[in-house]
Amino acid sequence: AVGVAGTAGIALELVRLFQVELEHYSKIEGTELSFAGKANRLSGLIRANLDGATKGLGVLPVLVGWDGHRGRIISYDIVGGRYDERDFYAVGSGAVFARGSLKKLHRPDLDAEGAVTALVQALVDASDDDSATAGPDVVRRLFPVVCTVEASGVTRWSDDDVAAVADRVLAARRSRPDGPGAPLL
């Protein structure tokens, strides 16, 4: 799964190109490219956009997948450098707020529902503090695209399932606007 921040049109084009290249590799080679190969290829695509990035049209993706042994999160810098992240990560202008929230909410034993709840909490926190980050929009019923990644594959959550989590998070925020508290010890 790939998440992106930056110039939306270029980000969508980069992800579509990435998908086509992975499908092409699979057809030509008769096997799927390894996770490390996918991470390297995405790095090359970002590097190819360096001229656009220097003009303010940058894209910063996050690649999440299973490498055969464990779940992996790979972040990238604007020139295509790749970095292994641990446990959770966020990218974009509101990332510092989202990562701060996730630092308090993440636990290794979270199930998919708990992880998505923590994600929505972090997104709401980021949207509270960063004008360029959009949180769930309950009026227009617009919610983030959410995927969970496990050894068995990637599952995209339905809009209705994400809406249910977002509705619960936002309802709880009516009594505690700053979100859930983390235990001190």
Side-chain angles (χ1 to χ4, degrees):
V2 177
V4 293
T7 308
I10 293 172
L12 292 173
E13 182 181 324
L14 181 134
V15 170
R16 286 185 187 119
L17 179 58
F18 184 52
Q19 288 175 311
V20 167
E21 288 194 11
L22 295 180
E23 290 171 12
H24 179 73
Y25 179 91
S26 180
K27 288 177 184 174
I28 298 298
E29 297 297 327
T31 186
E32 190 174 313
L33 187 61
S34 68
F35 183 80
K38 291 174 185 177
N40 286 337
R41 185 62 205 125
L42 187 52
S43 181
L45 290 173
I46 297 165
R47 197 173 307 105
N49 185 51
L50 184 57
D51 186 51
T54 62
K55 295 173 183 164
L57 301 173
V59 175
L60 291 174
V62 175
L63 177 66
V64 181
W66 195 263
D67 72 359
H69 305 288
R70 62 186 175 94
R72 302 272 303 276
I73 304 170
I74 308 290
S75 68
Y76 296 86
D77 62 27
I78 202 70
V79 295
R82 52 176 273 211
Y83 308 93
D84 277 289
E85 303 296 343
R86 293 178 39 104
D87 299 327
F88 57 85
Y89 192 72
V91 66
S93 61
V96 66
F97 306 110
R99 283 197 300 264
S101 182
L102 288 169
K103 185 188 295 186
K104 304 293 187 247
L105 297 173
H106 174 268
R107 293 189 322 270
D109 62 336
L110 288 174
D111 62 6
E113 179 95 11
V116 172
T117 300
L119 165 101
V120 172
Q121 292 279 11
L123 183 59
V124 170
D125 285 339
S127 68
D128 281 350
D129 293 318
D130 178 65
S131 62
T133 299
D137 184 337
V138 295
V139 173
R140 293 180 289 177
R141 305 304 290 167
L142 300 174
F143 302 98
V145 174
V146 174
C147 296
T148 52
V149 179
E150 301 175 272
S152 59
V154 176
T155 303
R156 181 174 173 173
W157 281 47
S158 73
D159 288 342
D160 290 339
D161 290 340
V162 176
V165 172
D167 287 340
R168 284 194 304 275
V169 166
L170 294 172
R173 295 254 174 159
R174 288 186 192 101
S175 62
R176 185 165 180 157
D178 58 342
L184 294 177
L185 291 177

